[in-house]
Amino acid sequence: MAAVALGSTLTSCVDDLDTTPIDPNYKSGDKIYVSAESYKQGLSKLYGSFVLAGQEGAGDNADIAGGDPGSTVYTRLLFYCQELSTDAAIAAWNDGDIKEFHNQKWTAGNGFVGNMYTRLYLTIGFINQYLRDTEPGKLISSLTSEDLKNIEQYRAEARLLRAMVYYNALDLFGSVPILTEADPVGKFKPEQKTRKEVFTFVETEVNDIENLLAEPGSNEYGRIDKGAAWALMARMYLNAEVYINESKYTECIDYCKKIMPFYSLNDSYEELFMADNHLKTNEMIFAFACDGLNSQTYGATTYLIHAAIGGDYVPANAGINGGWGGNRVTSAFVNKFDQNNDKRAMFFTEGQSLEIDQIGEFTEGYMLVKYTNKNSDGTNGSDDNFVDTDFPIFRLADVYLMYAESVLRGGNGGSIGEATSYVNQLRTRAYGNTSGNITEADLTLDFIIDERARELSWECMRRTDLIRFGQFSNSKYLWPWKGGLKDGKSVDSHYNLYPIPLSELNSNSNLTPTPGY
């Protein structure tokens, strides 16, 4: 993935993120965009910002300075927030404040939470500058009509990427500022918007750009299209009761139905998480592209694969040169699977105990070896350290489950019969036969939350799902080490949101602390 030099190392707060970088290596838009190809290279920087630490990938020149560059990568931070805070993952490491995630005791001073917030707005800043530099009046004169059409689509893709970032901000932090290309370049203090306003911004953006995007499945791999836009809307509407206290399940069903005709399930579940999963585009609606040679990173799936391996597991079996002994799953998560028959129970148990008595002991807790740097033909990826496995953002299986849940929650336009059929397609694939299939009577909300755990493990949705089902912070569902106790305990509901970081509050008087922090 090529990346053009659009920015420099940024360590400042959000009110500084839309400034022109003071860096001798920085090149302004009129120096960067000198050909039709350069506009596409600029777009690649935006895609790369989700999986790379900075301009040099895994190198020292990270966008966010200080500490381990890998732990500043968007997708790795998202995993910390979305999975380490749940029953699905627990870290053996002592890095910084990382144990605050599974203890559900984070504060506004948590460094990883602060990096997540900074990474969100840094990515927004990159996108905003790209949109400023590609305004019609600023384009170079040598472009053809076809070039102009392409750039119009690039801009729509950039806006959809920004909408995805704002969705993550909405989900993780709730009430946040909205910055666009229309805001001034220079130091200013953006106003905080309500969760409803952020929700409406995302909704409006997607509606505005939908017709400018490529048709589902027609764009080159690694770039978004209408299918990704529809999937983002479906996911946001599924969670609308949490975000804005409004039921949008009918709208979720509508978007799921728009998506389904363009995609089909892959025959093999395991292949979706292998080094050549870019070939499985029949199910993959959108994924962040990773390349062990050309987009090297210690985030994304390089992190997911290495950090999940240690103990008696042979790293070469996953196509890598070593494990980091980091992440395992809790027994509560393991127990949701039929380990004898469900192929999604991709746990390594040899030398591992089911229960975790000491969090720092990696051999306590099963490994989840769902992601691998092996190709589907058994060969290795292109590099044994940095991996080729793309990170799935939207895939058809999630759409099937969103449809089923929305039907159960009272949305119009769907049926229990169809919902059951879609779920059984997932279970037939998982079991290899129909022995795991369910009846319409079996399809309940309790079943759905567990089926989402089985199907979508480590795809950065677990926290959001548990919150939607009222199982994240309270005593309705306890798992080992929730709240910092071995048997788990209830925590206050203010932990359903991450706090606006102290650094932001101190630098921007227009921000107010997240309630409860």
Side-chain angles (χ1 to χ4, degrees):
M1 180 180 293
V4 68
L6 291 183
S8 63
T9 298
L10 298 178
T11 59
S12 52
C13 302
V14 170
D15 57 327
D16 295 314
L17 287 181
D18 264 6
T19 64
T20 301
I22 304 173
D23 188 316
N25 296 317
Y26 174 77
K27 294 182 179 180
S28 59
D30 60 344
K31 299 294 194 304
I32 295 171
Y33 299 111
V34 295
S35 66
E37 180 63 21
S38 64
Y39 291 100
K40 188 175 182 181
Q41 291 174 332
L43 180 67
S44 77
K45 167 66 179 181
L46 308 185
Y47 282 102
S49 67
F50 291 93
V51 297
L52 303 177
Q55 186 64 27
E56 297 176 4
D60 295 330
N61 188 20
D63 293 328
I64 300 174
D68 173 14
S71 66
T72 69
V73 175
Y74 194 112
T75 43
R76 181 162 164 178
L77 289 165
L78 191 62
F79 182 89
Y80 287 177
C81 292
Q82 289 287 79
E83 303 290 350
L84 287 183
S85 61
T86 75
D87 57 342
I90 189 166
W93 300 338
N94 286 312
D95 297 18
D97 309 313
I98 200 165
K99 282 188 167 61
E100 292 185 3
F101 285 108
H102 59 250
N103 287 340
Q104 291 193 337
K105 291 182 179 178
W106 50 80
T107 68
N110 183 288
F112 295 114
V113 172
N115 280 347
M116 182 78 258
Y117 190 92
T118 300
R119 178 56 74 177
L120 290 168
Y121 280 94
L122 183 57
T123 303
I124 289 167
F126 287 147
I127 295 170
N128 287 344
Q129 190 57 49
Y130 180 79
L131 291 172
R132 293 188 190 102
D133 289 339
T134 57
E135 290 175 356
K138 294 183 179 180
L139 299 176
I140 59 175
S141 59
S142 59
L143 298 173
T144 66
S145 59
E146 185 67 22
D147 293 333
L148 294 174
K149 182 179 179 181
N150 288 337
I151 292 170
E152 183 181 41
Q153 183 176 318
Y154 299 162
R155 288 173 55 84
E157 290 178 40
R159 289 174 65 185
L160 182 55
L161 288 174
R162 186 176 62 184
M164 289 170 54
V165 178
Y166 274 116
Y167 168 77
N168 286 150
L170 165 76
D171 180 71
L172 295 169
F173 294 97
S175 177
V176 296
I178 297 176
L179 296 167
T180 73
E181 72 277 15
D183 287 307
V185 175
K187 197 168 186 176
F188 74 106
K189 299 182 185 299
E191 294 183 2
Q192 194 167 8
K193 301 298 183 181
T194 66
R195 219 172 187 188
K196 172 68 172 177
E197 288 173 316
V198 181
F199 184 99
T200 300
F201 174 80
V202 174
E203 190 176 39
T204 302
E205 278 287 281
V206 175
N207 288 334
D208 283 349
I209 63 177
E210 179 181 340
N211 290 332
L212 300 175
L213 296 167
E215 292 300 315
S218 67
N219 211 348
E220 62 184 313
Y221 181 82
R223 289 171 57 190
I224 47 184
D225 55 26
K226 288 180 181 178
W230 298 339
L232 174 62
M233 294 297 283
R235 188 172 292 175
M236 191 170 73
Y237 285 139
L238 181 70
N239 291 284
E241 278 199 299
V242 172
Y243 300 154
I244 60 173
N245 295 314
E246 294 179 24
S247 171
K248 298 283 186 178
Y249 299 113
T250 296
E251 290 86 341
C252 181
I253 290 171
D254 290 342
Y255 274 98
C256 289
K257 289 166 68 175
K258 291 177 74 169
I259 295 166
M260 289 175 187
F262 294 94
Y263 302 92
S264 61
L265 292 183
N266 195 59
D267 290 339
S268 167
Y269 180 81
E270 296 93 327
E271 289 179 354
L272 294 168
F273 311 100
M274 290 183 165
D276 57 352
N277 61 350
H278 61 281
L279 301 177
K280 314 305 173 185
T281 53
N282 53 309
E283 179 168 346
M284 204 80 79
I285 299 169
F286 176 59
F288 289 144
C290 297
D291 187 307
L293 297 179
N294 299 307
S295 59
Q296 295 183 344
T297 175
Y298 288 111
T301 46
T302 293
Y303 160 75
L304 287 177
I305 294 171
H306 281 277
I309 288 176
D312 292 338
Y313 190 92
V314 178
N317 291 341
I320 59 171
N321 58 13
W324 298 348
N327 298 329
R328 303 91 76 213
V329 297
T330 70
S331 58
F333 193 78
V334 171
N335 291 336
K336 297 183 184 301
F337 292 79
D338 176 349
Q339 294 183 63
N340 294 321
N341 299 296
D342 192 336
K343 296 177 183 177
R344 299 171 299 186
M346 302 170 78
F347 303 117
F348 183 80
T349 63
E350 185 177 341
Q352 302 290 127
S353 63
L354 174 61
E355 299 295 341
I356 300 173
D357 293 321
Q358 301 178 75
I359 293 172
E361 180 55 59
F362 181 77
T363 56
E364 296 184 7
Y366 289 174
M367 302 179 212
L368 179 62
V369 289
K370 170 175 172 173
Y371 293 92
T372 178
N373 194 36
K374 287 281 190 180
N375 292 307
S376 52
D377 64 0
T379 60
N380 289 346
S382 61
D383 187 85
D384 64 359
N385 187 28
F386 303 105
V387 311
D388 290 342
T389 313
D390 298 341
F391 182 73
I393 300 300
F394 303 117
R395 59 186 182 90
L396 183 63
D398 181 29
V399 174
Y400 282 174
L401 291 170
M402 287 194 289
Y403 174 95
E405 182 180 337
S406 294
V407 168
L408 289 171
R409 292 187 184 276
N412 297 320
S415 72
I416 291 292
E418 284 188 334
T420 305
S421 174
Y422 292 138
V423 170
N424 279 337
Q425 288 183 47
L426 303 182
R427 293 181 67 80
T428 297
R429 175 172 69 179
Y431 281 72
N433 53 49
T434 60
S435 63
N437 285 14
I438 62 169
T439 67
E440 292 182 16
D442 297 323
L443 188 63
T444 64
L445 288 175
D446 286 341
F447 174 87
I448 286 290
I449 184 61
D450 287 346
E451 187 68 8
R452 288 186 66 84
R454 292 182 284 265
E455 179 68 30
L456 304 171
S457 59
W458 285 19
E459 295 182 47
C460 290
M461 284 178 267
R462 185 60 174 163
R463 167 190 160 273
T464 303
D465 288 347
L466 289 174
I467 290 172
R468 189 172 65 255
F469 279 80
Q471 296 183 10
F472 183 69
S473 58
N474 58 28
S475 60
K476 185 177 179 180
Y477 173 44
L478 301 180
W479 60 82
W481 299 104
K482 176 180 179 178
L485 290 182
K486 179 183 174 182
D487 294 329
K489 72 171 185 177
S490 177
V491 300
D492 191 79
S493 61
H494 78 269
Y495 287 105
N496 286 348
L497 283 175
Y498 287 103
I500 301 294
L502 283 175
S503 58
E504 302 301 322
L505 297 172
N506 291 335
S507 67
N508 185 355
S509 56
N510 290 326
L511 300 179
T512 57
T514 306
Y517 291 96

